[in-house]
Coordinates of all heavy atoms in Angstrom, one line a residue:
Y110 N 43.1 -25.8 32.7 CA 43.0 -27.2 32.2 C 44.1 -27.5 31.3 O 44.9 -26.6 30.9 CB 41.7 -27.4 31.5 CG 40.4 -27.1 32.3 CD1 39.7 -26.0 32.2 CD2 40.0 -28.1 33.2 CE1 38.5 -25.8 33.0 CE2 38.8 -27.9 33.9 CZ 38.1 -26.7 33.8 OH 37.0 -26.6 34.6
T111 N 44.2 -28.8 30.9 CA 45.2 -29.2 29.9 C 44.6 -29.2 28.6 O 43.3 -29.1 28.4 CB 45.7 -30.6 30.2 OG1 44.6 -31.5 30.1 CG2 46.3 -30.7 31.6
E112 N 45.3 -29.3 27.5 CA 44.8 -29.4 26.2 C 43.9 -30.7 26.0 O 42.8 -30.6 25.4 CB 45.9 -29.5 25.1 CG 46.7 -28.3 24.9 CD 46.0 -27.3 23.9 OE1 44.7 -27.4 23.7 OE2 46.7 -26.5 23.3
A113 N 44.3 -31.7 26.7 CA 43.4 -32.9 26.7 C 42.0 -32.7 27.3 O 41.0 -33.1 26.8 CB 44.1 -34.1 27.4
D114 N 42.0 -31.9 28.4 CA 40.7 -31.5 29.0 C 39.9 -30.7 28.0 O 38.7 -31.0 27.9 CB 41.0 -30.7 30.3 CG 41.6 -31.5 31.4 OD1 41.3 -32.7 31.5 OD2 42.4 -30.9 32.1
L115 N 40.5 -29.7 27.4 CA 39.7 -28.9 26.5 C 39.1 -29.7 25.3 O 38.0 -29.5 24.9 CB 40.6 -27.8 25.9 CG 41.2 -26.8 26.9 CD1 41.9 -25.6 26.2 CD2 40.2 -26.3 27.9
S116 N 39.9 -30.6 24.8 CA 39.5 -31.5 23.7 C 38.3 -32.3 24.2 O 37.3 -32.5 23.5 CB 40.6 -32.4 23.3 OG 40.1 -33.3 22.3
R117 N 38.3 -32.9 25.4 CA 37.3 -33.7 26.0 C 36.0 -32.8 26.2 O 34.9 -33.3 25.8 CB 37.7 -34.3 27.3 CG 36.6 -35.1 28.0 CD 37.3 -35.9 29.2 NE 38.2 -35.1 30.0 CZ 37.7 -34.3 31.0 NH1 36.5 -34.3 31.3 NH2 38.6 -33.6 31.8
F118 N 36.1 -31.6 26.7 CA 35.0 -30.7 26.8 C 34.3 -30.4 25.5 O 33.1 -30.4 25.4 CB 35.4 -29.4 27.5 CG 35.9 -29.6 28.9 CD1 36.9 -28.8 29.4 CD2 35.3 -30.5 29.8 CE1 37.4 -28.9 30.7 CE2 35.8 -30.6 31.1 CZ 36.9 -29.8 31.5
L119 N 35.1 -30.1 24.5 CA 34.6 -29.8 23.2 C 33.9 -31.0 22.6 O 32.8 -30.8 22.0 CB 35.7 -29.3 22.3 CG 36.2 -27.9 22.6 CD1 37.5 -27.6 21.9 CD2 35.2 -26.8 22.3
D120 N 34.5 -32.2 22.7 CA 33.8 -33.4 22.1 C 32.5 -33.6 22.8 O 31.5 -34.0 22.2 CB 34.8 -34.6 22.3 CG 35.9 -34.5 21.3 OD1 35.9 -33.8 20.3 OD2 36.9 -35.3 21.6
H121 N 32.5 -33.4 24.1 CA 31.2 -33.6 24.8 C 30.1 -32.7 24.3 O 29.0 -33.1 24.1 CB 31.4 -33.4 26.3 CG 30.2 -33.7 27.2 ND1 29.3 -32.7 27.5 CD2 29.8 -34.8 27.8 CE1 28.4 -33.2 28.3 NE2 28.6 -34.5 28.4
A122 N 30.5 -31.4 24.1 CA 29.5 -30.5 23.6 C 29.1 -30.8 22.2 O 27.9 -30.8 21.9 CB 30.1 -29.1 23.7
R123 N 30.0 -31.1 21.4 CA 29.7 -31.4 20.0 C 28.8 -32.6 19.8 O 28.0 -32.6 18.9 CB 31.0 -31.7 19.2 CG 30.9 -31.9 17.7 CD 30.5 -30.7 17.0 NE 30.3 -30.9 15.6 CZ 29.2 -31.3 15.0 NH1 28.1 -31.5 15.8 NH2 29.1 -31.4 13.7
A124 N 28.8 -33.6 20.7 CA 28.0 -34.8 20.6 C 26.5 -34.4 20.7 O 25.7 -35.2 20.2 CB 28.4 -35.7 21.7
S125 N 26.2 -33.3 21.3 CA 24.7 -33.0 21.4 C 24.3 -31.9 20.4 O 23.2 -31.4 20.5 CB 24.4 -32.5 22.8 OG 25.2 -31.3 23.1
L126 N 25.2 -31.6 19.5 CA 24.8 -30.6 18.5 C 24.2 -31.2 17.2 O 24.9 -32.0 16.6 CB 26.1 -29.8 18.1 CG 25.9 -28.6 17.2 CD1 25.1 -27.5 17.9 CD2 27.3 -28.1 16.8
P127 N 23.0 -30.8 16.9 CA 22.4 -31.4 15.7 C 23.2 -31.0 14.4 O 23.8 -29.9 14.4 CB 21.0 -30.7 15.7 CG 20.7 -30.3 17.1 CD 22.1 -29.9 17.6
E128 N 23.1 -31.8 13.4 CA 23.8 -31.5 12.2 C 23.0 -30.4 11.5 O 21.9 -30.2 11.7 CB 23.8 -32.7 11.3 CG 24.7 -33.9 11.8 CD 26.1 -33.6 11.8 OE1 26.6 -32.7 11.0 OE2 26.9 -34.2 12.6
D129 N 23.7 -29.7 10.6 CA 23.2 -28.6 9.8 C 22.5 -27.4 10.6 O 21.7 -26.7 10.0 CB 22.1 -29.2 8.8 CG 22.7 -30.3 8.0 OD1 23.8 -30.2 7.5 OD2 22.0 -31.3 7.7
L130 N 23.0 -27.2 11.8 CA 22.6 -26.1 12.6 C 23.7 -25.1 12.6 O 24.8 -25.4 12.8 CB 22.2 -26.5 14.0 CG 21.5 -25.5 14.9 CD1 20.0 -25.4 14.4 CD2 21.5 -26.0 16.3
P131 N 23.4 -23.8 12.2 CA 24.4 -22.8 12.3 C 24.9 -22.7 13.8 O 24.1 -22.8 14.7 CB 23.7 -21.5 12.0 CG 22.5 -21.9 11.2 CD 22.1 -23.2 11.8
V132 N 26.2 -22.5 13.9 CA 26.8 -22.7 15.3 C 27.6 -21.4 15.6 O 28.4 -20.9 14.8 CB 27.7 -23.9 15.4 CG1 28.4 -23.9 16.8 CG2 26.9 -25.2 15.2
I133 N 27.5 -20.9 16.8 CA 28.3 -19.8 17.4 C 29.1 -20.5 18.5 O 28.5 -21.1 19.4 CB 27.5 -18.6 17.8 CG1 27.0 -17.9 16.6 CG2 28.4 -17.7 18.6 CD1 26.1 -16.8 16.8
M134 N 30.4 -20.3 18.6 CA 31.2 -20.9 19.6 C 31.6 -19.8 20.6 O 31.9 -18.6 20.2 CB 32.4 -21.5 19.0 CG 33.4 -22.2 20.0 SD 34.7 -23.1 19.0 CE 35.7 -23.7 20.4
V135 N 31.6 -20.1 21.9 CA 32.1 -19.1 22.9 C 33.2 -19.8 23.7 O 32.9 -20.8 24.4 CB 30.9 -18.7 23.8 CG1 31.4 -17.7 24.9 CG2 29.8 -18.2 23.0
S136 N 34.4 -19.4 23.6 CA 35.6 -20.0 24.2 C 36.4 -19.0 24.9 O 36.9 -18.0 24.2 CB 36.4 -20.7 23.1 OG 37.6 -21.3 23.7
H137 N 36.6 -19.1 26.2 CA 37.5 -18.1 26.9 C 38.9 -18.2 26.3 O 39.5 -17.1 26.0 CB 37.5 -18.4 28.4 CG 38.4 -17.4 29.1 ND1 38.1 -16.1 29.1 CD2 39.5 -17.6 29.8 CE1 39.0 -15.4 29.9 NE2 39.9 -16.3 30.3
H138 N 39.4 -19.4 26.1 CA 40.8 -19.5 25.6 C 40.7 -19.4 24.0 O 40.0 -20.2 23.4 CB 41.5 -20.8 26.0 CG 42.9 -20.7 26.0 ND1 43.7 -20.6 27.2 CD2 43.9 -20.6 25.0 CE1 45.0 -20.6 26.9 NE2 45.1 -20.6 25.6
P139 N 41.5 -18.5 23.5 CA 41.5 -18.4 22.0 C 42.2 -19.5 21.3 O 43.1 -20.2 21.9 CB 42.2 -17.1 21.7 CG 43.1 -16.9 22.9 CD 42.4 -17.5 24.1
P140 N 41.9 -19.7 20.0 CA 42.7 -20.7 19.2 C 44.1 -20.3 19.0 O 44.4 -19.1 18.9 CB 41.9 -20.8 17.9 CG 41.2 -19.5 17.8 CD 40.9 -19.1 19.2
F141 N 45.0 -21.3 18.8 CA 46.4 -21.0 18.6 C 46.7 -20.3 17.3 O 46.1 -20.6 16.3 CB 47.1 -22.4 18.7 CG 48.6 -22.3 18.5 CD1 49.4 -21.7 19.4 CD2 49.2 -22.9 17.3 CE1 50.8 -21.6 19.3 CE2 50.6 -22.8 17.2 CZ 51.4 -22.1 18.1
K142 N 47.7 -19.5 17.4 CA 48.4 -18.9 16.2 C 47.4 -18.1 15.3 O 47.3 -18.3 14.1 CB 49.1 -19.9 15.4 CG 50.4 -19.3 14.7 CD 51.3 -20.4 14.2 CE 52.6 -19.7 13.7 NZ 53.6 -20.7 13.1
T143 N 46.6 -17.2 15.9 CA 45.7 -16.3 15.2 C 46.1 -14.9 15.8 O 46.9 -14.7 16.6 CB 44.3 -16.6 15.5 OG1 44.0 -16.4 16.9 CG2 43.9 -18.1 15.1
A144 N 45.4 -13.9 15.2 CA 45.6 -12.6 15.7 C 45.0 -12.4 17.1 O 45.2 -11.3 17.7 CB 45.0 -11.6 14.7
C145 N 44.3 -13.4 17.5 CA 43.5 -13.2 18.8 C 44.2 -13.8 20.0 O 43.7 -13.8 21.1 CB 42.1 -13.9 18.7 SG 41.1 -13.1 17.4
D146 N 45.4 -14.4 19.8 CA 46.0 -15.1 20.9 C 47.5 -14.7 21.2 O 48.3 -15.4 21.8 CB 46.0 -16.6 20.7 CG 47.1 -17.1 19.7 OD1 47.3 -16.4 18.7 OD2 47.7 -18.2 20.0
K147 N 47.8 -13.4 20.7 CA 49.2 -13.0 20.8 C 49.4 -12.1 22.1 O 48.7 -11.1 22.3 CB 49.6 -12.2 19.6 CG 49.8 -13.0 18.4 CD 50.6 -12.2 17.3 CE 49.9 -11.0 16.8 NZ 50.6 -10.4 15.7
L148 N 50.5 -12.5 22.8 CA 50.9 -11.6 23.9 C 51.6 -10.3 23.3 O 51.9 -10.3 22.1 CB 51.9 -12.4 24.8 CG 51.4 -13.6 25.5 CD1 52.5 -14.3 26.3 CD2 50.2 -13.3 26.4
S149 N 51.8 -9.4 24.2 CA 52.5 -8.2 23.7 C 53.9 -8.5 23.1 O 54.4 -7.7 22.3 CB 52.6 -7.1 24.8 OG 53.2 -7.7 26.0
S150 N 54.5 -9.5 23.6 CA 55.8 -10.0 23.1 C 55.7 -10.6 21.7 O 56.7 -10.7 21.0 CB 56.4 -11.0 24.0 OG 55.6 -12.2 23.9
G151 N 54.5 -10.9 21.2 CA 54.3 -11.5 19.9 C 54.1 -13.0 20.0 O 53.8 -13.7 19.0
Q152 N 54.3 -13.6 21.2 CA 54.2 -15.0 21.3 C 52.7 -15.4 21.3 O 51.9 -14.8 21.9 CB 54.8 -15.4 22.7 CG 54.7 -16.9 22.9 CD 55.1 -17.3 24.4 OE1 55.5 -16.4 25.2 NE2 55.1 -18.6 24.7
H153 N 52.5 -16.5 20.5 CA 51.1 -17.1 20.4 C 50.9 -18.1 21.6 O 51.7 -19.0 21.8 CB 50.9 -17.8 19.1 CG 50.9 -16.9 17.9 ND1 49.7 -16.2 17.6 CD2 51.8 -16.6 17.0 CE1 49.9 -15.5 16.5 NE2 51.2 -15.7 16.1
V154 N 49.8 -17.9 22.3 CA 49.6 -18.7 23.5 C 48.2 -19.4 23.5 O 47.6 -19.8 24.5 CB 49.8 -17.9 24.8 CG1 51.2 -17.5 25.0 CG2 48.9 -16.7 24.8
G155 N 47.6 -19.5 22.3 CA 46.3 -20.0 22.2 C 46.3 -21.6 22.3 O 47.4 -22.2 22.4
S156 N 45.1 -22.1 22.2 CA 45.0 -23.6 22.3 C 45.0 -24.3 20.9 O 44.2 -23.9 20.0 CB 43.6 -23.9 23.0 OG 43.3 -25.3 22.8
R157 N 45.8 -25.3 20.8 CA 45.8 -26.1 19.6 C 44.6 -26.9 19.4 O 44.1 -27.1 18.3 CB 47.1 -27.0 19.6 CG 48.4 -26.2 19.6 CD 49.6 -27.1 19.7 NE 50.8 -26.3 19.9 CZ 51.6 -25.9 18.9 NH1 51.3 -26.2 17.7 NH2 52.7 -25.2 19.1
E158 N 44.0 -27.3 20.5 CA 42.8 -28.1 20.4 C 41.6 -27.3 20.0 O 40.7 -27.7 19.3 CB 42.5 -28.8 21.8 CG 43.4 -29.9 22.1 CD 43.3 -31.1 21.2 OE1 42.3 -31.3 20.5 OE2 44.3 -31.9 21.1
V159 N 41.5 -26.0 20.5 CA 40.5 -25.1 20.1 C 40.6 -24.8 18.6 O 39.6 -24.8 17.8 CB 40.5 -23.8 20.9 CG1 39.5 -22.8 20.4 CG2 40.1 -24.1 22.4
Y160 N 41.8 -24.6 18.2 CA 42.1 -24.3 16.7 C 41.6 -25.6 15.9 O 40.9 -25.4 14.9 CB 43.6 -24.1 16.5 CG 43.9 -23.9 15.1 CD1 44.0 -22.6 14.5 CD2 44.2 -25.0 14.2 CE1 44.3 -22.3 13.2 CE2 44.5 -24.7 12.8 CZ 44.5 -23.4 12.4 OH 44.8 -23.2 11.0
A161 N 42.0 -26.8 16.3 CA 41.7 -28.0 15.6 C 40.2 -28.2 15.5 O 39.6 -28.6 14.5 CB 42.3 -29.2 16.2
F162 N 39.5 -27.9 16.6 CA 38.0 -28.0 16.7 C 37.4 -27.1 15.7 O 36.5 -27.4 14.9 CB 37.5 -27.8 18.1 CG 36.0 -28.0 18.2 CD1 35.5 -29.2 18.5 CD2 35.2 -26.9 18.1 CE1 34.1 -29.4 18.6 CE2 33.8 -27.1 18.2 CZ 33.3 -28.4 18.5
I163 N 37.8 -25.8 15.7 CA 37.3 -24.8 14.8 C 37.5 -25.2 13.3 O 36.6 -25.1 12.5 CB 37.8 -23.4 15.1 CG1 37.3 -22.9 16.5 CG2 37.4 -22.4 14.0 CD1 38.0 -21.7 17.0
K164 N 38.7 -25.6 13.1 CA 39.1 -26.0 11.7 C 38.2 -27.1 11.1 O 37.8 -27.1 10.0 CB 40.6 -26.3 11.6 CG 41.1 -26.6 10.2 CD 42.6 -26.8 10.2 CE 43.1 -27.0 8.7 NZ 44.6 -27.2 8.7
Q165 N 38.0 -28.1 12.0 CA 37.2 -29.2 11.6 C 35.7 -28.9 11.4 O 35.0 -29.3 10.5 CB 37.4 -30.4 12.6 CG 36.5 -31.6 12.2 CD 36.8 -32.8 13.1 OE1 37.6 -32.7 14.0 NE2 36.0 -33.9 12.9
H166 N 35.1 -28.2 12.4 CA 33.7 -28.0 12.5 C 33.2 -26.7 12.0 O 32.0 -26.5 11.7 CB 33.2 -28.2 13.9 CG 33.5 -29.6 14.5 ND1 32.9 -30.7 13.9 CD2 34.4 -30.1 15.4 CE1 33.3 -31.8 14.6 NE2 34.2 -31.4 15.5
Q167 N 34.0 -25.7 11.8 CA 33.7 -24.4 11.2 C 32.4 -23.7 11.7 O 31.4 -23.5 10.9 CB 33.6 -24.7 9.7 CG 34.9 -25.1 9.0 CD 35.9 -23.9 8.9 OE1 35.8 -23.1 7.9 NE2 36.8 -23.8 9.9
P168 N 32.4 -23.4 13.0 CA 31.3 -22.5 13.4 C 31.3 -21.2 12.7 O 32.4 -20.8 12.2 CB 31.6 -22.4 14.9 CG 33.1 -22.6 15.1 CD 33.4 -23.6 14.0
L169 N 30.2 -20.5 12.7 CA 30.2 -19.2 12.0 C 31.1 -18.3 12.7 O 31.9 -17.5 12.0 CB 28.8 -18.6 12.0 CG 27.7 -19.4 11.2 CD1 26.3 -18.7 11.5 CD2 28.0 -19.4 9.7
V170 N 31.1 -18.2 14.0 CA 31.8 -17.2 14.8 C 32.4 -17.9 16.0 O 31.7 -18.8 16.6 CB 30.9 -16.0 15.2 CG1 31.8 -15.0 16.0 CG2 30.3 -15.4 14.1
C171 N 33.6 -17.5 16.4 CA 34.1 -17.9 17.8 C 34.3 -16.6 18.5 O 35.2 -15.9 18.2 CB 35.3 -18.8 17.6 SG 36.1 -19.1 19.3
F172 N 33.5 -16.4 19.6 CA 33.8 -15.3 20.5 C 34.8 -15.8 21.5 O 34.6 -16.8 22.1 CB 32.5 -14.9 21.2 CG 31.5 -14.2 20.3 CD1 30.3 -14.9 20.0 CD2 31.7 -12.9 19.9 CE1 29.3 -14.3 19.3 CE2 30.7 -12.3 19.1 CZ 29.6 -13.0 18.8
T173 N 35.9 -15.0 21.7 CA 36.9 -15.4 22.6 C 37.4 -14.2 23.5 O 36.9 -13.1 23.4 CB 38.0 -16.2 21.9 OG1 38.9 -16.7 22.8 CG2 38.8 -15.2 21.0
G174 N 38.4 -14.5 24.3 CA 38.9 -13.4 25.1 C 40.3 -13.9 25.7 O 41.2 -14.3 25.0
H175 N 40.5 -13.7 27.0 CA 41.6 -14.2 27.8 C 42.9 -13.3 27.5 O 43.5 -12.9 28.5 CB 41.9 -15.6 27.4 CG 42.9 -16.3 28.2 ND1 43.0 -16.2 29.6 CD2 44.0 -17.1 27.9 CE1 44.0 -16.9 30.1 NE2 44.6 -17.5 29.0
I176 N 43.3 -13.1 26.3 CA 44.5 -12.3 26.0 C 44.1 -10.9 25.8 O 43.6 -10.5 24.7 CB 45.2 -12.9 24.8 CG1 45.4 -14.4 24.9 CG2 46.6 -12.2 24.6 CD1 46.2 -14.8 26.2
H177 N 44.2 -10.1 26.8 CA 43.6 -8.7 26.8 C 44.2 -7.9 25.7 O 43.4 -7.0 25.1 CB 43.9 -8.0 28.2 CG 43.2 -8.7 29.3 ND1 43.4 -8.3 30.6 CD2 42.4 -9.7 29.4 CE1 42.7 -9.0 31.5 NE2 42.1 -9.9 30.8
E178 N 45.4 -8.0 25.4 CA 46.1 -7.1 24.4 C 45.9 -7.5 23.0 O 46.3 -6.8 22.1 CB 47.6 -7.0 24.7 CG 48.4 -8.3 24.6 CD 48.5 -9.0 25.9 OE1 47.5 -9.1 26.7 OE2 49.6 -9.5 26.2
S179 N 45.2 -8.7 22.8 CA 45.1 -9.2 21.5 C 43.7 -9.0 20.9 O 42.9 -9.8 20.5 CB 45.4 -10.7 21.5 OG 45.8 -11.2 20.2
V180 N 43.4 -7.7 20.8 CA 42.1 -7.3 20.2 C 42.1 -7.4 18.7 O 42.9 -6.7 18.1 CB 41.8 -5.8 20.7 CG1 40.5 -5.3 20.0 CG2 41.7 -5.7 22.2
A181 N 41.3 -8.3 18.2 CA 41.4 -8.6 16.8 C 40.3 -9.5 16.3 O 39.6 -10.1 17.1 CB 42.8 -9.3 16.5
I182 N 40.1 -9.5 15.0 CA 39.3 -10.4 14.3 C 40.2 -11.2 13.3 O 41.0 -10.6 12.6 CB 38.1 -9.8 13.5 CG1 37.2 -9.0 14.4 CG2 37.3 -10.8 12.7 CD1 36.2 -8.2 13.7
D183 N 40.1 -12.5 13.3 CA 40.9 -13.3 12.4 C 39.9 -14.4 11.8 O 38.8 -14.5 12.2 CB 42.0 -13.9 13.1 CG 43.2 -14.3 12.2 OD1 43.0 -14.3 10.9 OD2 44.3 -14.5 12.7
N184 N 40.5 -15.2 10.9 CA 39.7 -16.3 10.3 C 40.4 -17.6 10.4 O 41.6 -17.7 10.2 CB 39.4 -16.0 8.8 CG 38.5 -14.8 8.6 OD1 38.9 -13.7 8.7 ND2 37.2 -15.1 8.4
I185 N 39.7 -18.7 10.7 CA 40.1 -20.1 10.5 C 39.2 -20.7 9.5 O 38.0 -21.0 9.9 CB 40.2 -20.8 11.8 CG1 41.1 -20.1 12.8 CG2 40.6 -22.3 11.6 CD1 41.0 -20.7 14.2
G186 N 39.6 -20.8 8.3 CA 38.6 -21.2 7.2 C 37.5 -20.2 7.1 O 37.7 -19.0 7.0

Side-chain angles (χ1 to χ4, degrees):
Y110 298 104
T111 65
E112 286 277 24
D114 291 327
L115 299 189
S116 178
R117 177 167 48 86
F118 295 143
L119 287 168
D120 286 344
H121 184 270
R123 183 70 182 85
S125 62
L126 186 65
E128 295 292 335
D129 302 322
L130 193 70
V132 178
I133 291 175
M134 184 174 175
V135 181
S136 174
H137 181 62
H138 205 106
F141 179 67
K142 212 164 187 182
T143 63
C145 300
D146 79 319
K147 286 197 298 185
L148 300 177
S149 53
S150 65
Q152 180 185 0
H153 290 280
V154 292
S156 163
R157 295 174 188 271
E158 290 294 338
V159 172
Y160 179 94
F162 183 88
I163 292 172
K164 187 175 182 180
Q165 180 179 355
H166 298 292
Q167 294 286 276
L169 293 176
V170 181
C171 176
F172 292 108
T173 188
H175 187 47
I176 310 303
H177 296 176
E178 62 267 42
S179 204
V180 177
I182 298 174
D183 205 343
N184 294 80
I185 300 173

